[in-house]
Amino acid sequence: MNLPMEKKAQLQQLCKQFRIDVIETLHQRQTGHPGGSLSVCEILTTLYFTQMNVDPANPAKADRDRLVLCKGHAAPMLYRVLAEKGFFPVEEMKTLRCFESRLQGHPCSLETPGVDASTGPLGIGLSAALGMALGLKLDNSDARVYAILGDGEINEGTVWEACMSAVKFKADNLCAVLDWNGVQLDGTAEEIMPMGDIRAKFEAFGWHCIECDGHDVDALYSAFEEAKTVKGLPTIVLAHTIKGKGVSFMEGKNGWHGKAIDDESYAKAMEELGGAK
Amino acid sequence: MGKAIRDVYGDALVKFGKDNKNVVVLDADLSGSTKSAVFGKACPERFFNVGIAEANMTAMAGGLASVGKIPFVNTFASFLATIGLLSARALGSYSKLPIKMVGAYGGMSDAYDGPSHHALEDIAVMRSLPNFKVFVPCDATETEWVVKNAIEDASPMYLRLSRDVFPDIYSENDVFEEGKGKIVREGKDATVIACGLMVGHALKAAEELTKEGIEIRVVDMFCIKPLDKELVVRCAKETGAIISAEEHSIIGGLGGAVAEALCAAGAQVPMGFVGTNDTHGECGPYAKLQEKYGFDPAAVVRKVKETVAAK
């Protein structure tokens, strides 16, 4: 199932703008995580602009879909997407990580409209998403819950505890997404903690697995559409991504996980992203 | 004759939770011990046994709470205040979600399983979390109230229970209020501020002390957070000496909370701390452990005399 051409072009245009704006903000603030924000761009954009039932006018709506950004350090991209949806003004991005800002360094469900779960400590987001999914099922809600995991994050044992429980409790309203960019803070995933055959692991735990290009909005769209048809099992979309996607010198580089962007790198990045002034 | 607190807890979950569709109960393969299985039998669709996965259980509770449920998280206190702490902090405390952390087998009540299964730091750990409330009931009636209150009050909470039988202190006509300690015995020479097991022990100690001409007031401080600071200060002023008594380390628990309240109010009086003295325990008969590690009635008697002498 493909996106209509017009929708696809709209999403691609949004992603282009979001990358520019996030790099702009991170350069301004001189703090925050560029690499993982750029890799998760299409995943968040496709979810919020083709899948999720949310209402910025009523952020606490009971039957809304939920999204848990388990890899909470990608908060800048989540905030940019939520701002575009209308949860808060785009200009507020300037306050990211500022004193008394609603846009904390990692997502906070108490402070920020549109944020469904406080995250930051890695490993507990999938479990929290599962709890949401089971609670919504008890209420006979049709709402779905999305959980965005980092591939470094799946080093955490709790993720696999959640995998067992999601299958046992038949959480078919839970859709996890692995932002599979192959790089974590200290180095490549292969260097730091080789996870072996990740797809085989999730399959062995009993999950429905869909593998796709995590920067192709068409592929992501069809993966999420397929996930909705799976009954009795949780689904994970294994989205192949590139850390730092869109900025050549950040791509695949762990050094850009959480580094402040200097003026020279900023100028080069803006040129590549088409955002040079 | 009292009842085993764990049995009272299991029955109370059913009594107050059965007809409230938002009450959900989680356990990590200890439901036969914590007695959450009693609820599981009554309401299987709202009972989640996650296997031996405490971290996952606590984070799941955060998710359940965020969609309007009232999750009771059950395992031994020693595991809950350690493995469960990350989610208690990130999802309960920081996000103000109504996770109800229920530490079964508080103190050394799981006597024969030994120090790995004893909980002597849990009160200190859990009371340090912003937004968390902490309750340590001392008998069956109070345990029932604590469960009922946990369902009605949308705060993150830590309920510290026991495997053991506690003697009855209250009757069903007694009323309880959050943040209000209860004076269960009057006396003029000193006040023992106790929680859980130690309330009964303090009353026993009071009988011994009477023989020696010392009359103690006994306060059941079942709500450690928010603490009844006003009562603490009043007891200091009226009786001139304070002794805290808890089945817990003397570092950071009820005694710590009481001392903070006294100092902050400038109401310092001679104070003694009954509890374990910065040590782990061992396995053995519960009564022997209480005697050796300093939280039996005799330990209260000793500490009261010592503190009164310092007045």
Side-chain angles (χ1 to χ4, degrees), chain B residues 266-296:
Chain B
Q268 296 93 322
V269 290
M271 182 169 175
F273 298 80
V274 173
T276 59
N277 192 4
D278 201 17
T279 182
H280 292 289
E282 62 191 284
C283 62
Y286 195 25
K288 282 280 177 205
L289 294 174
Q290 293 175 37
E291 187 187 333
K292 177 168 177 180
Y293 290 95
F295 55 98
D296 63 346

Side-chain angles (χ1 to χ4, degrees), chain A residues 24-165:
Chain A
E24 177 80 38
T25 302
L26 293 179
H27 173 248
Q28 270 174 9
R29 299 267 52 87
Q30 287 295 294
T31 173
H33 296 78
S37 294
L38 294 175
S39 74
V40 80
C41 181
E42 281 78 12
I43 294 169
L44 289 176
T45 305
T46 307
L47 281 171
Y48 275 100
F49 289 89
T50 74
Q51 300 294 319
M52 290 190 50
N53 166 25
V54 290
D55 180 4
N58 183 10
K61 182 170 81 150
D63 66 345
R64 72 188 189 278
D65 294 330
R66 267 81 168 172
L67 186 139
V68 180
L69 185 65
C70 307
K71 44 168 286 182
H73 52 279
M77 190 56 76
L78 176 65
Y79 295 154
R80 182 60 190 88
V81 172
L82 291 176
E84 189 72 22
K85 288 295 285 187
F87 284 98
F88 46 85
V90 177
E91 299 78 63
E92 205 170 324
M93 286 297 288
K94 287 182 192 140
T95 72
L96 175 77
R97 291 184 167 229
C98 285
F99 184 58
E100 296 189 333
S101 167
R102 293 197 291 184
L103 305 184
Q104 292 291 301
H106 292 79
C108 176
S109 59
L110 270 186
E111 297 283 334
T112 316
V115 169
D116 293 313
S118 301
T119 51
L122 298 174
I124 59 173
L126 185 60
S127 301
L130 171 60
M132 290 177 182
L134 298 178
L136 290 164
K137 264 185 182 282
L138 281 176
D139 292 338
N140 296 313
S141 167
D142 293 328
R144 292 180 66 74
V145 182
Y146 296 94
I148 318 296
L149 292 155
D151 60 344
E153 181 180 14
I154 66 173
N155 296 170
E156 293 274 10
T158 324
V159 170
W160 303 98
E161 295 180 4
C163 281
M164 289 184 268
S165 285

Side-chain angles (χ1 to χ4, degrees), chain B residues 33-115:
Chain B
S33 304
T34 66
K35 300 299 174 188
S36 74
V38 180
F39 183 90
K41 201 171 172 199
C43 309
E45 73 290 352
R46 286 187 275 135
F47 178 71
F48 301 96
N49 193 330
V50 304
I52 307 161
E54 295 84 2
N56 173 50
M57 168 170 67
T58 316
M60 276 176 68
L64 283 156
S66 85
V67 297
K69 302 298 165 196
I70 306 165
F72 283 75
V73 182
N74 299 276
T75 185
F76 294 169
S78 54
F79 310 146
L80 203 56
T82 51
I83 311 179
L85 184 60
L86 176 60
S87 291
R89 181 178 181 276
L91 303 172
S93 172
Y94 182 45
S95 307
K96 289 190 191 170
L97 293 171
I99 304 176
K100 314 297 172 177
M101 310 271 287
V102 186
Y105 293 15
M108 291 196 190
S109 64
D110 189 17
Y112 288 104
D113 276 330

